[in-house]
């Protein structure tokens, strides 16, 4: 479906009467189609599950070097393939000329302008595998310039426009433990064993993987052979940055023999394009990542994270010389993460994103470290749940960003000369004809210690505050993430089913500063975050429109842990749904792909040294208290919170005679809502489970 501009074009001054009449008739027709509040009020309906396939949202906006044109990735859900589909669209900085630039069969990503703005590189799977494409802007001719065996990422033009750098995995040779036997011709033997000898052998969404290492490559921009620049059994990460003379590429890596056992260590390196000589630029404790070279070629800006055994450490912005000397932290006065660094044209300041009380903002830092807010309103790129999200790009004084609200997923916004304009309306043809639940803020004190907690609640369409509604508490994952006042397909479906949907940023959430994020250090889940949730529910009950006899709880990942923990502490909920939870912390770290980092950052030591600590944090330790009907919902291929965790809780519930169900999603990893039909299934099962346990008075007619 085509996007519609928010502004009607009135600058055509046509004098021919027939042409003028046709123009006014067309304008009238557009008004009838796009103004349901005036002409089609009776056709307004509730947001429904199949509407998920009609949603569209913008990501990865990129401003041309002259600041006049924005390209972006326009995402939608393909109902026949049950997958996200993405295409590249363009819109001028003035808001005109909104049109498709490249429509792929399924996946198009990472559009990147050439330095002179005459070409656009991107990655697509139109040939059946992920390859690099280059499009000539003047005539629209497009060529596949690569023949890669693996998927590329971190696509980056050289300043002279002759090369594209990228990173790509390269398989490493492995020796079998036992020499395989030769089977007789025609014999039907068992499959060969899978031998694992590496520490990081599994990744969620990929399963058990062959040993492979990410390396830096270059390819000529007019096509040719890709050439590997880095060597060794180490991973070399983007983002990538070129020196101003196009001779060197900067990247990050941790090239130490113990890299598999270390979390949050990385240094910045450079590699010579022609000689492949590698040079280490930084050598400090912690992680130096995402180098960006200043336009004058004299400074490197980068992201710096301190290495410490804590669950959260902020990403800071630093600068240094090309030789790694004179490192200075620019964002030390910012209480939280600073990321997505972009230099100003004059090399005197940088733009970046940061989060403050569930709002993503763009800030500016001078090279002397003076900070100021530029604008706010980024969001809307996580369509399922209302996570804090969004990005931006800037060039020649034009900033393009993803603009999200509580009623709409991300559109393309432009910030220029202090003014914000929204240049796309990707969902007006759908959501302009739907009644949505209203998102309202609530701020309250936790009963545990008086800590202020920010939350939101969504009221059902046609909400009547004189009536009482059942309530769903939905808990975000992480726990070091954040929700916000953004569009959520999942929660809007719950509100359309007649529920008040309550969500909050409990202690441990991001965007409230480092101290708040660390309030759950070594104690998640706990009675403390439980109190944050229950205090919010009580505050909503005090407002008079929540039915205290019809309370429900749900959450995924860290939210699933909190859900399972909560039903061991209270019987106030009629029913619960714990999606992809951790139930037993003694077993989870040693079966999941996050073993190394999780043990170092979130626990005082390994499980065998701290049995009691791990057990007390486990929802399984509270199994004897659980009386709440509970459904568990997990992907069978989940390697972040393996389904063995779900099975432990389910079998415990059955042994205790608790109403329970285990919903196993085949061919699904941790992102159980990553396919649109799975998102719908998730909500359908949650609502069906809760409907079983609503009192007769509260059930929908």
């Amino acid at each position: 479906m085509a996007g519609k501009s928010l502004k009607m074009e009135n600058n055509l001054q046509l004098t021919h009467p027939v042409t003028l009449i046709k123009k006014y008739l067309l304008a009238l027709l557009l008004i009838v189609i796009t103004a349901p509040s005036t002409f089609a009020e009776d056709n307004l309906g509730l947001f429904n599950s199949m509407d998920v396939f009609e949603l569209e949202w913008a990501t990865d906006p990129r401003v041309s070097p002259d600041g006049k044109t924005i390209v972006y990735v326009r995402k939608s859900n393909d109902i026949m393939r049950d997958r996200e589909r993405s295409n590249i669209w363009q819109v001028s900085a003035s808001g005109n000329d909104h049109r498709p630039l490249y429509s792929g069969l399924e996946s198009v990503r990472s559009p990147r302008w050439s330095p002179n703005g005459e070409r656009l590189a991107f990655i697509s799977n139109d040939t059946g595998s992920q390859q690099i494409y280059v499009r000539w802007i003047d005539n629209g001719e497009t060529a596949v310039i690569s023949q890669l065996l693996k998927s590329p990422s971190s696509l980056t033009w050289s300043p002279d426009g002759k090369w594209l750098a990228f990173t790509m995995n390269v398989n490493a040779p492995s020796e079998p433990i036992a020499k395989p036997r030769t089977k007789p011709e025609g014999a039907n033997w068992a499959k060969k064993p899978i031998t694992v000898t590496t520490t990081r052998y599994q990744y969620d969404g990929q399963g058990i993987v062959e040993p492979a290492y990410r390396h830096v490559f270059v390819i000529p921009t007019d096509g040719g052979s890709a050439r590997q620049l880095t060597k060794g059994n180490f991973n070399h990460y983007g983002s990538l940055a070129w020196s101003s003379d196009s001779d060197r590429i900067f990247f990050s890596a941790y090239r130490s023999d113990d890299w598999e056992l270390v979390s949050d260590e990385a240094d910045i390196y450079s590699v010579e394009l022609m000689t492949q000589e590698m040079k280490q630029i930084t050598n400090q404790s912690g992680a130096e990542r995402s180098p960006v070279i200043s336009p004058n070629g004299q400074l490197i800006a980068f992201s710096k994270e301190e290495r410490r055994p804590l669950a959260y450490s902020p990403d800071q912005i630093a600068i240094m010389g090309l030789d790694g000397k004179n490192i200075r932290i620019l964002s030390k006065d910012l209480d939280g993460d600073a990321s997505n660094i972009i230099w100003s044209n004059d090399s005197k300041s940088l733009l970046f994103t940061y989060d403050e009380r569930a709002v993503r903002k763009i800030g500016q830092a001078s090279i002397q470290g003076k900070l100021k807010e530029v604008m706010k309103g980024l969001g809307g790129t996580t369509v399922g749940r209302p996570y804090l999200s969004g990005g931006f790009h800037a060039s020649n004084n034009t900033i393009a960003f993803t603009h999200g609200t509580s009623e709409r997923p991300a559109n393309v916004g432009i910030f220029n000369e202090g003014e914000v304009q929204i240049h796309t309306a990707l969902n007006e043809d759908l959501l302009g004809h739907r009644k949505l639940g209203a998102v309202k803020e609530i701020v309250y004190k936790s009963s545990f210690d008086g800590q202020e907690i920010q939350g939101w609640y969504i009221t059902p369409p046609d909400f009547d505050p004189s009536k009482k509604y059942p309530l769903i508490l939905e808990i975000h994952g992480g726990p070091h993430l954040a929700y916000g006042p953004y569009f959520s397909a999942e929660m809007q479906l719950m509100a359309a089913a007649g529920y008040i949907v309550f969500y909050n940023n409990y202690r441990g959430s991001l965007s409230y500063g480092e101290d708040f994020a660390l309030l759950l250090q070594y104690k998640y889940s706990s009675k403390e975050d439980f109190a944050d949730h229950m205090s919010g529910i009580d505050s909503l009950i005090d407002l008079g429109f929540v039915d205290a006899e019809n309370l429900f709880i749900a959450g995924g990942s860290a939210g699933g842990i909190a859900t399972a923990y909560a039903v061991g502490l209270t019987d106030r909920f009629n029913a619960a749904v714990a999606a992809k939870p951790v139930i037993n912390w003694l077993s989870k770290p040693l079966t999941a792909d996050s073993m190394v980092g999780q043990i170092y950052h979130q626990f005082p030591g390994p499980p065998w040294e701290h049995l009691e600590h791990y057990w007390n944090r486990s929802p399984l330790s509270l199994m004897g208290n659980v009386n709440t009907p509970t459904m568990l919902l997990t992907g069978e291929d989940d390697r972040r919170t393996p389904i063995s965790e779900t099975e432990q809780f389910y079998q415990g519930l059955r042994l205790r005679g608790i109403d329970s169900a285990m919903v196993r999603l085949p061919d699904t990893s941790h992102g159980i809502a990553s396919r649109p039909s799975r998102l719908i299934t998730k909500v359908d099962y949650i609502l069906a489970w809760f409907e079983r346990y609503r009192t007769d008075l509260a059930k929908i007619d």
Side-chain angles (χ1 to χ4, degrees):
M1 67 193 128
K4 293 181 279 289
S5 174
L6 291 180
K7 299 177 180 178
M8 293 192 65
E9 297 180 310
N10 296 318
N11 57 343
L12 296 179
Q13 299 180 358
L14 304 176
T15 56
H16 193 285
V18 175
T19 305
L20 193 60
I21 291 171
K22 287 182 178 179
K23 179 175 176 61
Y24 283 131
L25 288 175
L26 178 60
L28 180 61
L29 179 61
L30 285 172
I31 292 172
V32 171
I33 292 173
T34 60
S37 61
T38 304
F39 294 95
E41 185 65 33
D42 292 340
N43 294 328
L44 280 172
L46 301 179
F47 183 72
N48 66 79
S49 295
M50 296 306 290
D51 286 341
V52 169
F53 286 105
E54 302 297 325
L55 293 172
E56 296 186 271
W57 61 103
T59 65
D60 201 7
R62 310 296 294 191
V63 184
S64 61
D66 62 7
K68 295 180 179 180
T69 304
I70 293 88
V71 298
Y72 71 96
V73 177
R74 181 167 172 169
K75 291 192 173 184
S76 59
N77 290 321
D78 189 325
I79 193 170
M80 300 307 293
R81 297 189 181 197
D82 190 25
R83 301 278 185 183
E84 280 187 9
R85 182 176 178 177
S86 54
N87 298 306
I88 299 176
W89 280 59
Q90 74 172 43
V91 62
S92 69
S94 62
N96 301 318
D97 197 28
H98 185 212
R99 57 186 172 91
L101 191 66
Y102 184 86
S103 296
L105 296 176
E106 184 175 331
S107 171
V108 183
R109 59 185 173 90
S110 304
R112 298 294 182 264
W113 290 98
S114 64
N116 61 12
E118 295 178 358
R119 289 176 290 172
L120 189 76
F122 56 90
I123 299 169
S124 176
N125 66 351
D126 277 1
T127 61
S129 61
Q130 298 281 341
Q131 300 296 336
I132 300 172
Y133 289 62
V134 171
R135 182 181 180 90
W136 278 255
I137 298 300
D138 59 351
N139 58 21
E141 292 181 351
T142 304
V144 186
I145 68 165
S146 67
Q147 299 183 56
L148 306 177
L149 300 179
K150 300 282 187 177
S151 178
S153 60
S154 303
L155 199 60
T156 310
W157 287 84
S158 63
D160 62 11
K162 295 180 179 180
W163 301 93
L164 280 163
F166 60 95
T167 62
M168 185 175 68
N169 277 352
V170 177
N171 286 345
S174 58
E175 294 292 332
I177 293 177
K179 183 178 180 180
R181 298 287 182 176
T182 302
K183 67 180 180 180
E185 184 177 353
N188 186 18
W189 286 15
K191 291 182 179 180
K192 294 180 180 179
I194 298 172
T195 302
V196 176
T197 59
T198 58
T199 302
R200 302 193 184 193
Y201 66 93
Q202 61 171 333
Y203 295 94
D204 186 65
Q206 300 178 54
I208 295 177
V209 297
E210 298 257 349
Y213 302 94
R214 184 156 290 269
H215 287 284
V216 178
F217 288 77
V218 290
I219 190 170
T221 57
D222 55 0
S225 299
R227 183 162 58 96
Q228 181 178 330
L229 298 184
T230 54
K231 306 293 182 181
N233 292 340
F234 307 104
N235 290 310
H236 307 82
Y237 294 105
S239 57
L240 305 176
W242 287 83
S243 61
S244 58
D245 58 10
S246 299
D247 286 344
R248 285 194 292 165
I249 300 171
F250 295 81
F251 56 91
S252 64
Y254 183 53
R255 292 175 57 89
S256 175
D257 291 340
D258 66 346
W259 71 268
E260 283 193 296
L261 294 171
V262 177
S263 177
D264 285 340
E265 275 288 356
D267 298 301
I268 292 175
Y269 287 79
S270 70
V271 62
E272 291 281 350
L273 179 64
M274 301 310 297
T275 66
Q276 299 179 222
E277 180 185 359
M278 190 178 299
K279 180 180 180 181
Q280 185 170 351
I281 308 299
T282 63
N283 186 21
Q284 296 190 328
S285 175
E288 295 87 55
R289 304 186 181 101
S290 304
V292 187
I293 307 300
S294 61
N296 64 13
Q298 297 177 4
L299 296 172
I300 304 176
F302 60 98
S303 174
K304 181 170 179 57
E305 180 184 0
E306 183 182 352
R307 184 173 190 264
R308 54 185 187 173
L310 297 177
Y312 171 73
S313 294
D315 290 329
Q316 298 182 305
I317 295 175
I319 61 172
M320 63 183 175
L322 295 185
D323 57 3
K325 296 180 180 179
N326 300 319
I327 294 177
R328 288 181 288 150
I329 305 296
L330 301 186
S331 60
K332 59 184 178 181
D333 293 333
L334 190 69
D335 191 5
D337 293 317
S339 55
N340 303 322
I341 306 166
I342 296 178
W343 279 98
S344 62
N345 290 342
D346 61 8
S347 301
K348 294 182 179 180
S349 64
L350 307 100
L351 295 175
F352 60 94
T353 57
Y354 67 103
D355 301 330
E356 192 170 55
R357 292 191 63 82
V359 174
R360 179 152 293 175
K361 301 179 178 182
I362 298 176
Q364 184 181 56
S366 70
I367 59 175
Q368 288 78 33
K370 184 178 180 180
L371 305 177
K372 72 173 184 178
E373 177 184 321
V374 175
M375 60 158 292
K376 58 186 177 182
L378 282 67
T381 59
T382 58
V383 175
R385 291 189 282 168
Y387 279 110
L388 187 53
S389 65
F392 83 103
H393 184 250
S395 182
N396 203 27
N397 298 318
T398 297
I399 296 174
F401 64 99
T402 56
H403 177 263
T405 70
S406 63
E407 296 183 337
R408 298 292 186 270
N411 281 294
V412 176
I414 303 296
F415 182 81
N416 198 337
E417 297 181 354
E419 181 182 0
V420 171
Q421 293 181 323
I422 311 305
H423 284 339
T424 63
L426 303 184
N427 291 284
E428 293 311 304
D429 47 358
L430 170 68
L431 298 181
H433 299 261
R434 293 290 183 265
K435 292 181 179 179
L436 298 176
V439 179
K440 302 179 181 180
E441 183 186 42
I442 182 170
V443 178
Y444 58 92
K445 302 290 186 181
S446 173
S447 62
F448 181 80
D449 57 3
Q451 175 66 53
E452 182 181 274
I453 304 295
Q454 183 184 29
W456 298 265
Y457 61 96
I458 306 177
T459 56
D462 299 321
F463 172 68
D464 182 349
S466 68
K467 297 181 180 179
K468 292 186 181 294
Y469 296 84
L471 177 142
I472 296 174
L473 164 65
E474 212 286 338
I475 307 173
H476 74 64
H480 304 292
L481 295 171
Y483 276 161
Y486 306 107
F487 178 84
S488 165
E490 293 185 25
M491 294 188 188
Q492 285 292 343
L493 290 172
M494 294 175 182
Y499 292 86
I500 299 285
V501 185
F502 168 55
Y503 60 98
N504 62 18
N505 282 338
Y506 53 94
R507 65 190 65 210
S509 301
L510 299 186
S511 77
Y512 302 90
E514 183 177 347
D515 291 344
F516 188 88
L518 291 175
L519 286 175
L520 287 182
Q521 183 66 39
Y522 296 157
K523 48 186 174 183
Y524 184 78
S525 242
S526 69
K527 293 181 180 179
E528 298 180 26
D529 54 282
F530 171 76
D532 297 347
H533 303 312
M534 302 310 294
S535 300
I537 291 174
D538 290 336
S539 296
L540 286 171
I541 291 173
D542 290 343
L543 295 178
F545 48 75
V546 170
D547 181 358
E549 300 303 315
N550 277 281
L551 304 178
F552 302 87
I553 183 173
S557 195
I561 305 170
T563 298
Y565 203 87
V567 296
L569 295 176
T570 184
D571 294 337
R572 288 184 64 183
F573 296 106
N574 297 41
V577 176
K580 50 191 180 182
V582 175
I583 299 303
N584 184 353
W585 281 112
L586 288 166
S587 58
K588 188 272 183 184
L590 300 180
T591 55
D593 67 347
S594 53
M595 170 186 68
V596 173
Q598 189 156 58
I599 291 175
Y600 176 74
H601 290 292
Q602 296 185 354
F603 290 91
W608 52 88
E609 294 179 2
H610 302 274
L611 286 173
E612 186 175 354
H613 177 91
Y614 277 77
W615 180 245
N616 288 339
R617 288 175 58 178
S618 302
L620 192 59
S621 69
L622 303 174
M623 176 58 75
N625 302 332
V626 178
N627 296 301
T628 305
T630 301
M631 183 172 78
L632 298 126
L633 186 69
T634 304
E636 289 192 321
D637 295 339
D638 194 327
R639 290 182 178 271
R640 185 61 45 82
T641 54
I643 198 166
S644 57
E645 295 295 308
T646 288
E647 291 168 339
Q648 291 179 65
F649 204 63
Y650 175 70
Q651 294 187 180
L653 292 168
R654 301 310 293 182
L655 285 172
R656 294 204 60 247
I658 306 299
D659 286 352
S660 51
M662 176 173 57
V663 180
R664 305 169 66 99
L665 302 175
D667 303 318
T668 302
S669 56
H670 194 64
I672 60 175
S674 58
R675 299 181 67 173
S677 72
R678 286 292 191 225
L679 186 154
I680 294 169
T681 297
K682 175 186 175 184
V683 177
D684 284 350
Y685 271 76
I686 290 173
L687 292 176
W689 185 253
F690 289 168
E691 193 65 18
R692 288 187 179 189
Y693 300 99
R694 284 173 62 169
T695 64
D696 291 341
L697 181 64
K699 286 190 176 182
I700 300 172
D701 294 334

